[in-house]
Amino acid sequence: MNPFHFGPPEALRLGVYHPPRVSRARDAAVLLCAPVAVEYQRTHYALRLLAKQLAASGFHVLRFDYLGTGDSAGEVGDGQYPIWVADVALAARELRSLSGAGTLLVGGLRLGALLALEALAAGALSARAAVLWDPVVSGAEYLDSQLSMDRAARAAMGNHAPAGGEILGMRFPPELRTAIRQASLAALIERAALGSAALVVSERRPEFEALARGMRARWPDARELVAAEPTDWRSLDATYDARLTGPVIRLVADALEALA
Amino acid sequence: MNERAITFGPAVNLTGILCEPDEATRRAGVPLVLMLNAGLLHRVGPHRMSVLLARQLAAAGISSLRFDLGGRGDSEASLVTGSDDERVLVDIIEAMDHLEQRGLAHRFVLFGLCAGADNAHLAAVCDTRVAGAVLLDGYGWRTPGYYLHHYLPRMRNARAWIGFVRRLVLQALRSRAESQAAADAARAGMRRPFGERRVVEQELEQLIGRGARLLYVYSGGVEGYYNHRRQFFEMFPHLSKGGYVEVEFYPRADHTYTVASERERMLARVVGWFESRDWGAPRDAPVA
């Protein structure tokens, strides 16, 4: 894997490019879009493992940190949501340039799936297909869940007053909260510049069922895959302790391979 | 400030971000800061702690490398066989060798949280190029003062007395093993095996003997084994002289400094410590 910086010199993003295994190299690349905040640190290793599996299967793969997150420049500030959406398109251009691949696939985890679909729906990029992995279906529900965990954390720490607009250690300015709260994956599915898509979920939930129906209405071949082990995205303990397991990572890799 | 991703190690398996100040602001004589993984988290650290520290240090003229040990974050597992400690040590030494061979530094200060602090101690003892360390929620043993700080506030509280008597009755009813397990679980917090206090004391005396500077920072997240600022010097009374060891305690911070104000206070303290220390030449020559 090759870590490198890309983007404008005054606001560099960190990317990690996984070249394909030479003997199996394909004319296809996968852009992986990570979650943010506390889910970013929880899922970093899982996305690395996914990238490694995909590269071993012959894909060019790029992981990256959005502006203001991870090793990328800056801090989370005003106007962050459209910046993150633009980062998806920026990273896709970088991946096409690095790989020269003719086919682009997108894998999005949690908020990363929502941001990827925003970019695809805005026409900032187009892709052969996308795999949505435990995606944030409703921005409002996601934000409420993060706020609920934040309150639990503050209570455990002696009732610190909320400060600086942070949620579980990352700044969420009002503008960002509003943008996330208004986001809906179902609405984006209808407009996304995608040839097909698959949904990989770690447990059956009504919102995933509804999303799968919407996906099949748009793409009749859209698949819904359910992992054997549920991933708890809603409790504070799980946020710090749980690791994503191999079977769900394998499922996502298989789904991307099937769509290539 | 300039940041660049680097890979190094015998199998080019280790990945890190080198963060350097602008030439005009570079502070001469200050060792390069090596930031270690906090447990299994990748080099960015909890809530971007290591990224924020690296950039604040660069603004103060100090260089750093935050990198992933083999098998963590973006680093492939090292090919070295041996115990976890041995493999960690090899990776940290690889990082120092790489930076020294490229003329970027010949002395280092290690920064680590939790298991990162334990690894920083390990490497500091083994390599004389380490001129200091910042250890967050590092080693700790309960002292008489710990128990005083733990029980005294509760003894002033009538409800706590009722709870205490209730627990005594319940404990008498339960099997000894069951109550011991429950008590251990409740007190454990972020406690982990720390080895022999006397051995660690000898190692710290050895570090100070060669002029290393140490900053210990404890959070409220480890109140299971550390609960007041002076506790460090109760554990190691011989280390209180000479100003080689400084100790800070943030009782309202959790183990990963989730709250921004606590995180910023801790980072400011760490940067201030770097700026205020005399980083003159160590007493012993560096390892060849």
Side-chain angles (χ1 to χ4, degrees), chain A residues 186-250:
Chain A
L188 299 170
I189 291 289
E190 294 168 14
R191 308 196 309 270
L194 273 173
S196 187
L199 178 64
V200 176
V201 297
S202 62
E203 61 178 327
R204 291 191 186 281
R205 297 183 62 86
E207 65 266 32
F208 290 146
E209 299 297 325
L211 181 69
R213 282 195 298 277
M215 289 170 67
R216 281 192 293 272
R218 168 84 202 273
W219 305 288
D221 62 339
R223 297 165 69 206
E224 182 189 8
L225 303 160
V226 183
E229 285 183 49
T231 306
D232 183 358
W233 298 105
R234 290 176 172 76
S235 85
L236 191 61
D237 286 347
T239 293
Y240 290 109
D241 294 339
R243 298 280 175 268
L244 304 186
T245 59
V248 71
I249 295 169
R250 186 68 255 167

Side-chain angles (χ1 to χ4, degrees), chain B residues 7-174:
Chain B
T7 52
F8 56 96
V12 201
N13 61 311
L14 301 173
T15 297
I17 306 290
L18 184 64
C19 183
E20 295 183 287
D22 296 331
E23 279 310 314
T25 57
R26 187 182 291 275
R27 192 180 288 256
V30 182
L32 185 143
V33 183
L34 266 188
M35 299 178 186
L36 309 179
N37 295 99
L40 295 174
L41 290 179
H42 79 298
R43 62 185 175 275
V44 162
H47 316 299
R48 279 185 113 196
M49 179 192 292
S50 296
V51 176
L52 299 173
L53 178 61
R55 291 173 185 173
Q56 290 183 24
L57 286 171
I62 302 164
S63 300
S64 67
L65 173 69
R66 51 185 189 273
F67 78 106
D68 291 314
L69 295 165
R72 298 175 208 189
D74 290 322
S75 291
E76 296 289 355
S78 300
L79 301 173
V80 180
T81 54
S83 68
D84 286 349
D85 281 356
E86 285 166 343
R87 281 180 285 145
V88 162
L89 195 54
V90 165
D91 289 346
I92 296 172
I93 289 171
E94 282 295 341
M96 291 192 279
D97 287 349
H98 176 83
L99 295 164
E100 188 170 23
Q101 284 158 13
R102 276 145 191 82
L104 293 166
H106 63 280
R107 289 192 304 148
F108 305 89
V109 172
L110 305 177
F111 171 87
L113 164 70
C114 194
D118 302 350
N119 292 335
H121 175 95
L122 179 73
V125 170
C126 293
D127 196 310
T128 56
R129 289 174 295 184
V130 178
V134 180
L135 307 107
L136 274 58
D137 289 346
Y139 290 141
W141 287 266
R142 294 181 198 136
T143 61
Y146 170 87
Y147 289 104
L148 205 62
H149 280 79
H150 183 76
Y151 286 112
L152 205 58
R154 290 163 173 79
M155 291 173 76
R156 293 183 189 133
N157 182 329
R159 286 175 66 185
W161 274 107
I162 294 166
F164 177 66
V165 171
R166 200 172 154 214
R167 279 196 300 278
L168 279 182
V169 172
L170 282 173
Q171 272 182 20
L173 294 173
R174 283 179 191 152

Side-chain angles (χ1 to χ4, degrees), chain A residues 39 81 109-115 117-118 132-143 179-189 199-201 203 205-215 224 233-234:
Chain A
E39 289 182 353
Y81 193 80
L109 173 58
R110 300 288 292 150
L111 196 76
L114 193 60
L115 295 170
L117 267 285
E118 291 273 16
L132 312 177
W133 176 7
D134 272 353
V136 169
V137 178
S138 156
E141 194 188 309
Y142 163 79
L143 199 60
I180 291 176
R181 202 167 276 288
Q182 289 171 348
S184 160
L185 200 55
L188 299 170
I189 291 289
L199 178 64
V200 176
V201 297
E203 61 178 327
R205 297 183 62 86
E207 65 266 32
F208 290 146
E209 299 297 325
L211 181 69
R213 282 195 298 277
M215 289 170 67
E224 182 189 8
W233 298 105
R234 290 176 172 76

Side-chain angles (χ1 to χ4, degrees), chain A residues 1 3 5 14 16 40-41 44-45 48 52 63 68-75 157-158 160 166 168-169 240, chain B residues 3 5 7 15 17 42-44 46-48 51-52 55 66 71 73-76 252 254 258-260 262-263:
Chain A
M1 81 186 93
H5 286 95
L14 191 279
V16 180
Y40 159 81
Q41 61 190 43
H44 182 273
Y45 195 70
R48 177 194 148 185
K52 203 172 166 181
R63 296 182 284 126
T69 75
D71 281 313
S72 287
E75 306 270 345
M157 289 183 285
H160 273 283
E166 282 212 330
L168 292 173
Y240 290 109
Chain B
E3 284 189 321
T7 52
T15 297
I17 306 290
H42 79 298
R43 62 185 175 275
V44 162
H47 316 299
R48 279 185 113 196
V51 176
L52 299 173
R55 291 173 185 173
R66 51 185 189 273
D74 290 322
S75 291
E76 296 289 355
R252 282 173 61 76
D254 70 319
T258 302
V259 175
E262 297 291 339
R263 189 166 61 242

Side-chain angles (χ1 to χ4, degrees), chain A residues 18-87:
Chain A
H18 297 250
R21 185 195 288 180
V22 175
S23 59
R24 304 181 71 175
R26 305 164 183 245
D27 182 30
V30 179
L31 178 68
L32 294 179
C33 300
V36 301
V38 76
E39 289 182 353
Y40 159 81
Q41 61 190 43
R42 177 185 178 186
T43 59
H44 182 273
Y45 195 70
L47 288 173
R48 177 194 148 185
L49 292 180
L50 174 61
K52 203 172 166 181
Q53 289 191 19
L54 291 167
S57 300
F59 290 101
H60 301 260
V61 187
L62 180 65
R63 296 182 284 126
F64 69 100
D65 291 340
Y66 308 101
L67 196 71
T69 75
D71 281 313
S72 287
E75 306 270 345
V76 172
D78 293 335
Q80 199 67 46
Y81 193 80
I83 290 172
W84 286 345
V85 172
D87 278 357

